[in-house]
Amino acid sequence: MTRESTDYLRRLKTALTGDPATPLAFLCNFEVETQWARHHIGLPAPAAAPTEVVQRMEELGLLLAGPGDVILVKNAPDQGYLRYLGEDLGIGLPAVLVPETTTGDRSTAEDLLNSPQALDRLSALGRRGARLIPMGTSEFEEKLAVSAQVPLAVPDAATFERVNSKIYSRRITEELGLPPVPGWCCETLGELRHALAQAAGLPGPVVVKDAYGVSGKGLVVLDTAAKADRLVRILERRAARTGDDRVALVVEHWIPKRADLNYQITVDRRGGVRLDFVKQALTERGVHQGHLMPADLNDDQHALLRRAAEEVGGRLAADGFFGVAGIDAIVADDERVHPVLEINARFNMSTYQGGMTERFHAPGHVALARHYPVRSAAPLVFDDLRRVLGPLLFPASGGRLIVTCFGTVNIGAGNAGTGDGTPHQGRLYTLLTAPDHDRLTALDRAVQAALAGVIQPREDS
C-alpha cells in the first residue's frame, strides 16, 4: 500500500503556501544559476547548453512530490522505476506531465511554453489551486507561471538572482559577524587586481569563483603568481575589447579542511526559520559527489551552525526571500567551522532526498547519498538494473540500497551501439542506509562490485 505525503513535504507546503494540502507543480530546473549568471560578467567560458544529465535529474522530483502533486519533466520516467517507487518502497507518487514538444538545447520551462497541450493541462491544475514550485525561479519559470496562470509558490526571478550571488553570501556573512573564509568581493577589474595582490601574502593557493558558478564550473585555483598574472591579462584583454571592466567574482583563501558540510534551512512566508538538517558533503575538485549522514561534528560546531542558520535565514527573509536554502560550510583541519562558504537559496540535492531520508534513515543509523557510474552496451530499463542489483534493493541487516534517480543511467545511450563496441556510461543516484559505518562501507563496496561490469539489457526489455 502506498503511503501519503511525508511530514517533510507537508512542512514545506505549509512554509511556502500556508496550507499543507496545497497541490504543487514541481519543476526541477537544475543549474538555474546559468540563467541568473547571464546578467553578470564572470570568468571567461564558452556558453553551454543544458547537459543531458542535468535534464534527466529532473526525475528527482518524484522523491519530493506526493499524491495530488505533479512533476514537470522533459523525459517520461521509466515505468519499471515508477513501480519500484510505488510498490517496493511504498511512496505515494505524483502525476507526471511531459511537454509534447521538447528539444535538448532548451529548458523544460521553455518546452512547456511551446507545448499547448501540456500548457492547457497545467492551467487546469492552476484553476484547482496548484502552485508552481521550481528549483529556483528564472525568467522562463516566471513566463510559465503567467502563461499557465499557475502562481509561483516561491519568490520571483529578481529575488532569487539577488540572494544567490556568492558576493551576497560573503557580504552578509561579514555583516552578521559570522566567521568568514578569508577573501574579497570583486565587482571591477581593479578590485580583482587588489584582491590578488592581497592574497599573494597568504600561504597556500587562492580560488577565484564566478558569483553564479555551480557544480565546480566557474572556478579557478591559483597556486602561483604566474597563474594569477595570466588570469588578470585575459580579463584585461576582454575589458579592452568590450569597454567594460565589470566583473562578478569572489577571491578566497583555500583553507585546508577536514570536512565539507551542507545544511538546509526553510524560510517561511512570515520570516520564520527552520534548520532542516546538517550533512557532511562529499566533494571532488569542487564538484558535489554526495552526502554522509550524520555529519561528524561536536556540540559547539552544531551550535555555531544553528546560530548561522537563524541569522542567515533572518537576513534572507528581510531581503524578500522565502523558501529553501542550502548553505555550504567547511570544517578546517584545525576544527574551526566556517559556517557560510556560500548560500544556495534554492532547492538542492538534499532537498529532494529529504522525504526519502525521513522514511528510510532510521535513528542511530548512518546513510550515504552518492552516485555510481553505470556502463551498458545499450539503453537500459529499470528491470535490467533490478536484475543486477538483486537483494541489495531489499532491507537486510547489512543495510539497504535505494535508487533515487534512474533516468541518468541512460545519458549518452543514443551514442551506444555504433559498432565500435564502446559502452556508454551513465550515473545511478542512490541512498544507502545501514546500522553503522562498517556495514555502510560494506554495502557501498557491494554496490560498486555489482555495477563494475558492462550491463547487458535483456533482449525482451
Side-chain angles (χ1 to χ4, degrees):
M1 178 181 295
T2 57
R3 304 175 188 176
E4 298 301 317
S5 299
T6 61
D7 289 341
Y8 177 77
L9 176 58
R10 286 190 287 270
R11 288 194 302 269
L12 177 65
K13 290 185 175 186
T14 301
L16 298 185
T17 72
D19 184 350
T22 302
L24 296 177
F26 286 86
L27 180 57
C28 310
N29 52 330
F30 280 87
E31 297 196 357
V32 62
E33 287 89 346
T34 58
Q35 298 301 323
W36 302 328
R38 292 189 306 168
H39 307 127
H40 306 273
I41 302 173
L43 295 167
T51 64
E52 187 179 0
V53 66
V54 167
Q55 294 169 346
R56 291 283 184 168
M57 285 170 67
E58 293 177 328
E59 190 176 282
L60 284 161
L62 290 167
L63 310 181
L64 180 55
D69 298 325
V70 62
I71 66 164
L72 313 173
V73 292
K74 187 182 289 282
N75 301 282
D78 177 272
Q79 289 300 307
Y81 181 56
L82 292 177
R83 287 193 298 273
Y84 162 76
L85 293 176
E87 297 174 12
D88 292 7
L89 300 185
I91 294 174
L93 294 173
V96 177
L97 179 56
V98 181
E100 68 267 21
T101 304
T102 64
T103 64
D105 61 351
R106 66 187 181 193
S107 69
T108 301
E110 292 173 277
D111 285 340
L112 287 161
L113 288 166
N114 287 276
S115 298
Q117 296 175 32
L119 204 58
D120 285 347
R121 288 183 59 191
L122 187 56
S123 296
L125 295 171
R127 290 192 292 272
R128 295 199 293 269
R131 302 284 188 92
L132 179 64
I133 185 162
M135 186 173 186
T137 306
S138 76
E139 63 181 273
F140 296 120
E141 290 71 44
E142 284 186 333
K143 290 178 181 177
L144 180 61
V146 171
S147 295
Q149 297 183 318
V150 181
L152 284 164
V154 289
D156 60 15
T159 301
F160 269 95
E161 183 175 322
R162 183 171 64 252
V163 301
N164 275 282
S165 167
K166 291 179 177 61
I167 292 175
Y168 175 88
S169 296
R170 282 202 59 84
R171 285 179 174 160
I172 72 165
T173 300
E174 294 170 357
E175 290 171 11
L176 294 172
L178 296 168
V181 173
W184 301 263
C185 299
C186 305
E187 296 183 288
T188 67
L189 194 49
E191 290 177 352
L192 177 64
R193 292 192 197 96
H194 175 76
L196 292 176
Q198 295 289 107
L202 295 174
V206 296
V207 58
V208 181
K209 302 177 183 178
D210 277 345
Y212 293 93
V214 61
S215 301
K217 302 170 187 174
L219 177 154
V220 60
V221 178
L222 305 177
D223 53 8
T224 66
K227 289 182 180 179
D229 290 343
R230 188 179 307 119
L231 175 63
V232 170
R233 287 197 301 272
I234 291 171
L235 296 176
E236 285 175 338
R237 287 196 295 270
R238 183 179 67 184
R241 185 175 65 254
T242 62
D244 189 347
D245 76 340
R246 291 177 301 163
V247 294
L249 302 169
V250 297
V251 176
E252 293 177 342
H253 183 212
W254 193 277
I255 295 177
K257 61 191 176 185
R258 174 177 69 80
D260 289 287
L261 303 174
N262 173 261
Y263 57 105
Q264 179 177 290
I265 61 175
T266 300
V267 182
D268 67 35
R269 284 178 176 262
R270 297 171 308 214
V273 180
R274 176 188 174 91
L275 175 59
D276 295 321
F277 46 70
V278 181
K279 299 180 180 181
Q280 194 159 322
L282 307 177
T283 62
E284 183 177 340
R285 298 179 182 177
V287 180
H288 174 82
Q289 301 294 320
H291 290 106
L292 184 65
M293 299 157 268
D296 180 16
L297 299 171
N298 62 37
D299 290 345
D300 289 341
Q301 291 168 333
H302 271 294
L304 177 56
L305 293 182
R306 286 194 295 271
R307 173 194 156 201
E310 282 292 333
E311 296 194 8
V312 170
R315 177 57 184 271
L316 285 169
D319 288 339
F321 179 81
F322 55 92
V324 168
I327 304 172
D328 293 339
I330 59 172
V331 182
D333 59 5
D334 61 4
E335 291 300 317
R336 284 188 293 180
V337 174
H338 298 272
V340 185
L341 185 61
E342 63 183 62
I343 302 164
N344 296 302
R346 51 156 175 79
F347 284 14
N348 51 79
M349 288 290 288
S350 291
T351 310
Y352 297 108
Q353 297 161 359
M356 300 291 277
T357 304
E358 183 177 275
R359 289 182 191 274
F360 299 110
H361 183 198
H365 286 209
V366 292
L368 172 66
R370 63 158 293 180
H371 65 260
Y372 296 92
V374 176
R375 295 186 302 151
S376 64
L380 301 175
V381 297
F382 184 76
D383 288 342
D384 294 322
L385 205 63
R386 180 194 291 276
R387 175 171 46 85
V388 171
L389 294 172
L392 296 173
L393 291 170
F394 298 96
S397 60
R400 182 181 192 176
L401 165 71
I402 298 164
V403 176
T404 55
C405 184
F406 172 74
T408 48
V409 164
N410 286 317
I411 56 174
N415 299 322
T418 56
D420 63 359
T422 302
H424 80 275
Q425 180 166 298
R427 295 181 187 176
L428 180 67
Y429 284 86
T430 67
L431 175 68
L432 286 68
T433 64
D436 53 56
H437 283 284
D438 287 344
R439 280 181 276 191
L440 185 67
T441 299
L443 177 59
D444 181 29
R445 289 173 178 165
V447 177
Q448 292 182 56
L451 298 174
V454 177
I455 300 174
Q456 300 289 341
R458 290 180 57 151
E459 292 184 5
D460 59 349
S461 64

